[in-house]
Amino acid sequence: MNEQQPPQFERGTDGPKVIVVGMDGSDSSFRAAAYAAGLARRQNALLAVVYVQPVMAAGTALGVPVGEVTDEVAEGLIAEIRAGVERAKGIYDLRWEFHTFRGDPYNGLVTAADKLTADAVVVGASEQAGHRIIGSVAVRLVKAGRWPVTVVP
């Protein structure tokens, strides 16, 4: 008797189920979130909004309450996202979650995408001039080649 094995999970074969978007409060990250929300809505995917809290050892050593500052940023992002979702209530149906991770943006987004089994990652284009030389988070995510990555200007 020939028993068929259940199909193995493959990312992105039936459209995305989980779309991760990185947000840091910059204008480009808000544009990325809006774009990702549209994708998630049209694909009936879960939108996982990720804020990576920077670890600033120098600030901590000087007595700056870094954790409080980054928590305030996260709370502000959540409030803005909830307000946007509330404005669209009854017009659009969107499933979303908010996650925070600690570390540098690249490693935080990689960890988030892996942990949440992301099918796609959306980020805003870097607004920092130095990234043209050393490479942006977006370029590093694309080079990792583990998920489709969309960079929103």
Side-chain angles (χ1 to χ4, degrees), residues 31-79:
R31 288 190 296 272
Y35 181 84
L39 287 176
R41 180 184 57 81
R42 289 187 297 279
Q43 296 288 329
N44 195 30
L46 172 67
L47 177 64
V49 180
V50 174
Y51 169 61
V52 180
Q53 293 181 317
V55 176
M56 295 181 261
T60 304
L62 296 173
V64 177
V66 174
E68 291 175 23
V69 172
T70 59
D71 287 345
E72 288 175 20
V73 171
E75 289 170 17
L77 290 173
I78 293 171

Side-chain angles (χ1 to χ4, degrees), residues 13-150:
T13 55
D14 293 330
K17 299 288 184 231
V18 177
I19 298 172
V20 166
V21 61
M23 286 196 71
D24 62 6
S26 66
D27 289 343
S28 67
S29 76
F30 276 101
R31 288 190 296 272
Y35 181 84
L39 287 176
R41 180 184 57 81
R42 289 187 297 279
Q43 296 288 329
N44 195 30
L46 172 67
L47 177 64
V49 180
V50 174
Y51 169 61
V52 180
Q53 293 181 317
V55 176
M56 295 181 261
T60 304
L62 296 173
V64 177
V66 174
E68 291 175 23
V69 172
T70 59
D71 287 345
E72 288 175 20
V73 171
E75 289 170 17
L77 290 173
I78 293 171
E80 289 194 48
I81 294 164
R82 283 195 176 123
V85 169
E86 194 61 34
R87 284 191 299 273
K89 203 174 216 169
I91 302 169
Y92 299 115
D93 193 21
L94 177 67
R95 295 180 304 122
W96 66 279
E97 301 174 344
F98 186 85
H99 300 270
T100 59
F101 291 84
R102 286 196 177 275
D104 68 274
Y106 170 76
N107 286 312
L109 286 171
V110 166
T111 300
D114 285 343
K115 182 177 179 183
L116 300 169
T117 318
D119 295 297
V121 178
V122 179
V123 292
S126 177
E127 296 178 349
Q128 297 180 4
H131 285 171
R132 292 187 189 127
I133 299 166
I134 60 171
S136 67
V137 171
V139 169
R140 291 174 67 195
L141 288 168
V142 170
K143 286 182 178 181
R146 292 165 60 185
W147 327 263
V149 177
T150 302

